[in-house]
Structures are given as structure tokens and as C-alpha cells.
């Protein structure tokens, strides 16, 4: 992996050197692409993994529990062994429909890079106070959980001493533990839903281990403090989302962390004319991780927010691999285009389009869907795959929760899917 | 009976442990989907442990902090002593990936290792 590059013409350009971009580069190389460039705005590759210093990564991909920087290291080493150019500290302004990439950095100034295929791997960003309109003043001391994570783990700056965290997604839970280890008192993790947003394992090891109060069905209703935040008012949330005045309470704090959801970062995709799915916030994508714009592929959190980096790597490898085939005119895009519709209890499905040529899917046509449910379904469930009134397949799962994507491999059913225009996936509870 | 939520993988199996855990006795463990779960549930009752991670200050490095982890899980109750040990540390770059920073961390045989390479500035 080269640090600099004077080249301005590449087979494949990958936007983002996080887990998605690195895996895509490995995939593109293994598919036989000639010249591959990864561009990233940070000084180091690895993306968000570098600030995720906790363990829990790689159990599926590497069969061992790694920290974020260790997982990143594994992929950086893989990319280093291949002939992949890396342009760091570089901002991408725009990508045109014909794949001209306008970049800038300190040594090149403004520069245009041409690519034969592009893999979008920009990841996601966090929701902010503005996304949920918390009333009150606008003092210092309000951070997104990921910003706080970066300040603490990369920059060595502590964010505060008395902390309230709004949102119980995994980043919020991880930061509750991290702040406690760094001597802050986490007064409460406040969650508007009646169930936690993050994985149960994180409730155990981040919340229960440190006796941090987790207030479910509560939200922050007011931010107090003129210069620095002085406290927050919280209130109960009823079953229809209404604020319960009887449960209003003031909590003193000097810091409020927000862990209220992640948004795929697709300004560049929009600029390139890639159609976006309003539900996932990412590009419409098929099982080859090809977008609806010829020659543009996408992988990782830019497509949909994943809960495990292992799956980000897997799907982004596919994106890169197929970009590599595409550039050599080897990608079979003639298969039937099948639209996947979401039924009951399903919040999102990606890919939302299947394109299956032969009867046995090739390595590059892996028909694996990621399905996210909209609420916890704790009894057994049945997933059914149907076309019109015909049930193609039924699959059982012991449970489904919003914090864990269901990975559904349709390889076995591809013969039955041939010729279909639309299929539907439904979930039923089995009592 | 004790109920343990497994933290080994995202499945978070709820594991039930019945019977005595004294040496020589065989407790009845159910609810786990793999053998790691069984091992975890028993250890969580007898000797609860966690991988400890944090950061350590670096001097002359291209970055200010190096992320660190323990080679094996430490006793759950010892996270504070772990934190106190690393608080005073200041390691000179370069630091190789996986370098052992402390040989016997909270107990003998548990190493504190660098989880990232840090080049000298």
C-alpha cells in the first residue's frame, strides 16, 4: 500500500478507508483489478475502528475477539500486501456521473481523478441534537457519543465529570463504560423506547457491570445551563410516545452525550446521481452491491447501518470484487431483476434488489439479505418468502430484535426465484 | 438456579445454571448455543472476568495515545486497579503492533499489549 500517488487514472476508486473501503480494496484486487485507489479524509486508514478501542470485533470474520484497532490492523495489513494506492488527509468534493472525482489535499491542491468504477464506502454519521429537537438552552457540554469517543480515545481529552447519555444504542452503552473507567460519573442512560437499543451483551458488560442506571421509556425534555450544561430535565414516555408529566425529574450534569442513531453519509452518492432508498438512507443496491447507477458499487454503513463490522467487511468485499469484475467486463448483470418487498414487522431490507443470472449463484452473486425488524419479537418467528400467493420458502428463527440484523441467505432458493419480478418477505410470530 | 446473559457474541444467549459449582460436581447448564457459552456461564458465576481496554499516553509518537488491551480477561472487580496502573504510564514511540507493555498486569501471566502500531514522530 503506497502512501502517495501521482496517478490520476484508476480502474477502481474507493471512497473511504474504513472497514468497508479496505475490504472493498481487497476484493477488487482479488477479482483482478489493475489499479486501485482508496481515498480518505483522515490521516490514518481504519475509519471509526481506530476509536473503538473496546473488544467485540471479528468473532465471525477472524473467529477471535479483537478490539477495533486490531480489526483495522488486520485489514490494513491485507491491503498493504496488495498493490493498492492510499490517498489520505484528502477530501472528496464531488463525484460526477462519469466518475470524475474532485479531491483536494495539502500537496495536490485541487485535483481530478478518473476512475473506471467507484466503490462508495463513506460510512455513516451520527444524529445530533438538531435531529430530535431537544428544547432548552444551547450550552457547551453536548456531544454525540462518537465525538466524545474520539476526544477521549484519540485526542486524550475528557469530556466531563457528570454525564447523562441519551439513547441506548451500542455506542451510548460503550461510552457509558468508557466514561466510568475514565473516572466520570454516568448519572443515567436514558432511552425513549421500552427496550434498549443496543445488544444485550453491552447492557451486561457496560451498564450492569458498573451499576449505571438505565431509564427505559424516558427522554430528555429540556437542556439547562447558559455557558456549560448544568442539568437536563427528563420525563417518562407513554406507550404512544406521549410525555408523562408525572415522571418529570431533573438530573444535574455537566455533559450530555447523544447516541440517537446513525445516518448513512450519502452526499457524494446524491451528487453522482445514485438513487437512494429513503428507508435505509443508503443507495438502492442489488446482491452484487451494485447501485442503480452503472459502475457505482457501495458497501458498509453507507448502504445501511450494520451492527457488526464483520458483515460490513463481507458485503464490502463483494462490492469491491464485483467492481473488479465490472472493470474487466466480466460482471454478469443480465440476470433477472427481482424487487424485494418488506412485509409486516420489517423496517428495512438490503439489498432490496436481487439479480441472479445462473441457477447456482457465483461468488460475486451472493444473495444474502440483511433484514432489520422494527420491534423486538421475542417468541419464535417465521420468515416467509413469497411471490404473489405462492410461498417459496419458510424459515424459522428463535427471535428477532431491532439491534441485530437477520442475515438471510437465499442461495438455496435461487432456482425458484428465476423469472420472478417481485418477491415479498413477511414475518409472523409463532406462539 | 442462576441466569446468565452471555456476552461472548451478539446472540446474547440467556443461560441457566443449576446445581453445585464445587469442584468435582457437574452443574446442569442450558440455553447456550455453543460450548463457549457454557464455559462463560460457569466462569461468570465462579470467577467473573472481562477483557480490559483503555489507552496509554505516548511520547514522541505520531499519535498521542496508544490503545491497549489485556491478553486475557482480568477479574471483573479489578478494572479500577488496572486503570490505576496505566494512568501513570508514558510509553516512548515507536511501539510495535501487539507489543507487550506490561508483562504481569493485574495478575501474573496477564499481559497488557498495544492494540495499534505507533510510529515515532
Amino acid at each position: 500500500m503506497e502512501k502517495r500517488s501521482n496517478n490520476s487514472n484508476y480502474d477502481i476508486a474507493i471512497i473511504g478507508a474504513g472497514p468497508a473501503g479496505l475490504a472493498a480494496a481487497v476484493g477488487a484486487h482479488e477479482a483482478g483489478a489493475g489499479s486501485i485507489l482508496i481515498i480518505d479524509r483522515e490521516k490514518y486508514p481504519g475509519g471509526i475502528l481506530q476509536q473503538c478501542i473496546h473488544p467485540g470485533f471479528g468473532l465471525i470474520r477472524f473467529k477471535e475477539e479483537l478490539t477495533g484497532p486490531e480489526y483495522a490492523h488486520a485489514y490494513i495489513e491485507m491491503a498493504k500486501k496488495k498493490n493498492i494506492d492510499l490517498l489520505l488527509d484528502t477530501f472528496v468534493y464531488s463525484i460526477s456521473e462519469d466518475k470524475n472525482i474532485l479531491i483536494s489535499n495539502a500537496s495536490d491542491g485541487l485535483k481530478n481523478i478518473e476512475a473506471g468504477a467507484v466503490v462508495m464506502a463513506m460510512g455513516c454519521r451520527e444524529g445530533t441534537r438538531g435531529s430530535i429537537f431537544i428544547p432548552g438552552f444551547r450550552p457547551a457540554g453536548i456531544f454525540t457519543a462518537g465525538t466524545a469517543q474520539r476526544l477521549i480515545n484519540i485526542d486524550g481529552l475528557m469530556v466531563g465529570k457528570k454525564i447523562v447519555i441519551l439513547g441506548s444504542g451500542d455506542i451510548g452503552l460503550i461510552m457509558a463504560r468508557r466514561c466510568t473507567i475514565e473516572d466520570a460519573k454516568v448519572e443515567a442512560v436514558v432511552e425513549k423506547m421500552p427496550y434498549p437499543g443496543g445488544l444485550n451483551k453491552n447492557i451486561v458488560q457496560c451498564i450492569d457491570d458498573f451499576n449505571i442506571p438505565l431509564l427505559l421509556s424516558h427522554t430528555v425534555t429540556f437542556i439547562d445551563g447558559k455557558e456549560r450544561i448544568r442539568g437536563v430535565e427528563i420525563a417518562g414516555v407513554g406507550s404512544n410516545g406521549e410525555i408523562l408529566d408525572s415522571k418529570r425529574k431533573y438530573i444535574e450534569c455537566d455533559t450530555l452525550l447523544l447516541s440517537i442513531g446513525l445516518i448513512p453519509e450519502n452526499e457524494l452518492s446524491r451528487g453522482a446521481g445514485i438513487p437512494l432508498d429513503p428507508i435505509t438512507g443508503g443507495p438502492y443496491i442489488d446482491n452484487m452491491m451494485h447501485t442503480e447507477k452503472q459502475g457505482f458499487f457501495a458497501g458498509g454503513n453507507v448502504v445501511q447501518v450494520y451492527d457488526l463490522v464483520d458483515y460490513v467487511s463481507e458485503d464490502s468485499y463483494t462490492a469491491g470484487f464485483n467492481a473488479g469484475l465490472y472493470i474487466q467486463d466480466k460482471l454478469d448483470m443480465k440476470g433477472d431483476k427481482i424487487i424485494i418487498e418488506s412485509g409486516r414487522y420489517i423496517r428495512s431490507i438490503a439489498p432490496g434488489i436481487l439479480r441472479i443470472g445462473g441457477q447456482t449463484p457465483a461468488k460475486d452473486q451472493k444473495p444474502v439479505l440483511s433484514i432489520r425488524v422494527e420491534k423486538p419479537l421475542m417468541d419464535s418467528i417465521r420468515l416467509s418468502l413469497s411471490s404473489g400467493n405462492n410461498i417459496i420458502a419458510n424459515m424459522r428463527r428463535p427471535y428477532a430484535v431491532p439491534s441485530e440484523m437477520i442475515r438471510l441467505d437465499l442461495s438455496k432458493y435461487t432456482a425458484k426465484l428465476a423469472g420472478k419480478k417481485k418477491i415479498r418477505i413477511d414475518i409472523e410470530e409463532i406462539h | 438456579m442462576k441466569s446468565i446473559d452471555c456476552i461472548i457474541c451478539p446472540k446474547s444467549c440467556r443461560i441457566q445454571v443449576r446445581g453445585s459449582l464445587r469442584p468435582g460436581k457437574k452443574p446442569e447448564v442450558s440455553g447456550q448455543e455453543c460450548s463457549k457459552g457454557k464455559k462463560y456461564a460457569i466462569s461468570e458465576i465462579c470467577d467473573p472476568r472481562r477483557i480490559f481496554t483503555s489507552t496509554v499516553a505516548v511520547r514522541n509518537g505520531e499519535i498521542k495515545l496508544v490503545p491497549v488491551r489485556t491478553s486475557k480477561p482480568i477479574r471483573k472487580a479489578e478494572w479500577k486497579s488496572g486503570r490505576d496502573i496505566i494512568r501513570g504510564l508514558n510509553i516512548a514511540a515507536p511501539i510495535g503492533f501487539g507489543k507487550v507493555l506490561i508483562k504481569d498486569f493485574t495478575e501474573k501471566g496477564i499481559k497488557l499489549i498495544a492494540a495499534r502500531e505507533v510510529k515515532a514522530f
Side-chain angles (χ1 to χ4, degrees):
Chain A
M1 196 154 54
E2 302 289 324
K3 281 257 166 179
R4 278 249 81 87
S5 156
N6 295 316
N7 209 345
S8 58
N9 209 321
Y10 283 88
D11 278 354
I12 294 172
I14 298 166
I15 318 300
L22 291 168
V26 172
H29 187 268
E30 290 183 3
S35 56
I36 303 163
L37 172 70
I38 315 180
I39 310 170
D40 199 283
R41 60 188 168 201
E42 289 288 328
K43 282 194 173 70
Y44 301 94
I48 207 71
L49 286 170
Q50 299 291 15
Q51 70 183 56
C52 299
I53 62 163
H54 53 281
F57 304 92
L59 278 162
I60 297 164
R61 176 63 182 82
F62 297 109
K63 308 282 178 247
E64 59 173 324
E65 190 170 20
L66 304 174
T67 64
E70 290 173 312
Y71 190 101
H73 178 83
Y75 268 92
I76 293 166
E77 289 301 304
M78 274 184 248
K80 258 188 199 166
K81 293 194 183 90
K82 305 179 187 303
N83 186 25
I84 293 162
D85 285 350
L86 188 58
L87 203 50
L88 294 167
D89 224 350
T90 299
F91 193 80
V92 175
Y93 287 101
S94 65
I95 307 172
S96 71
E97 300 197 16
D98 50 2
K99 307 183 188 74
N100 275 309
I101 305 167
L102 182 64
I103 61 136
S104 98
N105 61 42
S107 58
D108 293 323
L110 265 182
K111 184 179 167 182
N112 212 29
I113 291 173
E114 283 174 45
V118 177
V119 182
M120 309 302 256
M122 293 89 77
C124 58
R125 61 166 168 257
E126 300 179 277
T128 62
R129 178 181 179 182
S131 333
I132 52 166
F133 305 109
I134 310 170
F137 298 108
R138 302 183 65 181
I142 307 167
F143 305 89
T144 60
T147 299
Q149 188 179 46
R150 185 188 172 105
L151 289 169
I152 296 171
N153 293 344
I154 303 282
D155 301 324
L157 300 167
M158 192 51 194
V159 290
K161 295 192 176 95
K162 274 164 87 78
I163 298 174
V164 171
I165 299 176
L166 175 60
S168 62
D170 288 312
I171 312 168
L173 302 177
I174 295 286
M175 287 313 292
R177 171 177 63 186
R178 187 75 189 109
C179 290
T180 306
I181 289 176
E182 288 302 330
D183 253 350
K185 174 104 173 48
V186 177
E187 300 292 335
V189 175
V190 180
E191 168 60 53
K192 140 185 117 174
M193 303 305 284
Y195 50 86
L199 298 169
N200 200 35
K201 62 176 274 191
N202 287 331
I203 299 290
V204 172
Q205 59 184 346
C206 299
I207 300 295
D208 298 349
D209 274 7
F210 298 93
N211 298 315
I212 295 166
L214 172 62
L215 304 173
L216 299 174
S217 296
H218 277 77
T219 192
V220 171
T221 49
F222 190 79
I223 292 173
D224 183 31
K226 292 269 166 68
E227 297 294 324
R228 176 87 190 191
I229 183 169
R230 268 200 317 242
V232 291
E233 184 194 70
I234 64 163
V237 177
S239 50
N240 297 316
E242 75 280 15
I243 299 296
L244 304 174
D245 277 326
S246 57
K247 289 190 168 175
R248 277 190 203 272
K249 188 173 130 186
Y250 188 90
I251 305 179
E252 266 183 46
C253 64
D254 60 21
T255 305
L256 174 65
L257 301 188
L258 303 174
S259 172
I260 53 176
L262 301 169
I263 307 150
E265 192 164 338
N266 276 294
E267 280 70 20
L268 290 173
S269 315
R270 220 170 270 128
I274 298 172
L276 301 180
D277 176 351
I279 309 256
T280 56
Y284 285 107
I285 201 114
D286 65 21
N287 50 307
M288 294 181 266
M289 304 307 283
H290 186 241
T291 70
E292 290 289 87
K293 188 102 199 157
Q294 180 98 11
F296 282 92
F297 296 77
N301 284 350
V302 78
V303 174
Q304 61 173 335
V305 177
Y306 286 69
D307 33 61
L308 292 180
V309 69
D310 307 67
Y311 294 137
V312 166
S313 300
E314 192 179 316
D315 292 353
S316 302
Y317 177 91
T318 303
F321 190 87
N322 286 323
L325 294 182
Y326 171 85
I327 198 77
Q328 303 168 76
D329 284 327
K330 285 186 194 161
L331 185 63
D332 177 9
M333 298 189 351
K334 292 188 287 288
D336 299 318
K337 180 175 168 180
I338 309 166
I339 307 287
I340 305 165
E341 290 182 332
S342 306
R344 198 172 182 206
Y345 298 136
I346 295 176
R347 178 165 156 70
S348 65
I349 300 179
I353 303 164
L354 286 177
R355 211 183 284 269
I356 296 164
Q359 299 226 324
T360 326
K363 184 180 181 187
D364 47 303
Q365 290 182 336
K366 193 188 56 158
V368 179
L369 307 182
S370 295
I371 300 171
R372 206 175 281 286
V373 293
E374 57 189 15
K375 64 167 201 170
L377 303 165
M378 298 315 287
D379 287 319
S380 290
I381 58 157
R382 178 165 51 225
L383 286 127
S384 63
L385 183 64
S386 62
S387 162
N389 290 325
N390 298 329
I391 304 278
I392 298 168
N394 278 317
M395 287 148 280
R396 282 185 176 224
R397 294 288 163 116
Y399 68 93
V401 289
S403 55
E404 268 179 71
M405 296 190 319
I406 303 170
R407 297 277 284 181
L408 196 62
D409 187 345
L410 300 182
S411 304
K412 275 197 280 181
Y413 310 108
T414 49
K416 290 183 180 171
L417 295 173
K420 302 277 187 290
K421 293 265 177 290
K422 245 186 221 177
I423 56 168
R424 187 182 159 87
I425 294 176
D426 281 288
I427 291 182
E428 242 183 299
E429 284 178 286
I430 317 170
H431 293 288
Chain B
M1 189 198 80
K2 282 206 161 139
S3 190
I4 300 289
D5 286 341
C6 186
I7 63 164
I8 302 294
C9 88
K11 279 192 180 141
S12 306
C13 295
R14 176 149 294 172
I15 304 174
Q16 269 89 39
V17 182
R18 289 183 183 81
S20 171
L21 290 163
R22 289 211 188 86
K25 305 268 183 180
K26 277 205 173 144
E28 193 187 311
V29 185
S30 61
Q32 74 281 11
E33 284 188 32
C34 76
S35 59
K36 283 182 185 165
K38 182 176 178 176
K39 211 174 137 197
Y40 170 77
I42 293 172
S43 119
E44 185 66 3
I45 296 169
C46 304
D47 179 26
R49 286 172 176 269
R50 301 282 185 263
I51 295 276
F52 177 81
T53 65
S54 188
T55 54
V56 166
V58 174
R59 58 176 189 278
N60 304 323
E62 55 178 359
I63 52 175
K64 287 181 193 166
L65 300 170
V66 60
V68 293
R69 65 168 294 171
T70 52
S71 56
K72 287 186 244 171
I74 66 167
R75 286 189 197 100
K76 194 169 114 176
E78 286 188 338
W79 68 269
K80 277 191 181 167
S81 36
R83 175 197 61 191
D84 292 344
I85 295 168
I86 64 168
R87 188 144 287 177
L89 276 187
N90 192 303
I91 312 261
I95 303 167
F97 179 79
K99 182 182 178 181
V100 177
L101 304 178
I102 297 178
K103 220 170 105 200
D104 301 307
F105 185 53
T106 48
E107 62 194 275
K108 209 167 160 49
I110 296 186
K111 301 185 279 262
L112 186 76
I113 57 182
R116 182 174 177 176
E117 177 191 18
V118 184
K119 293 192 178 116
F121 186 63

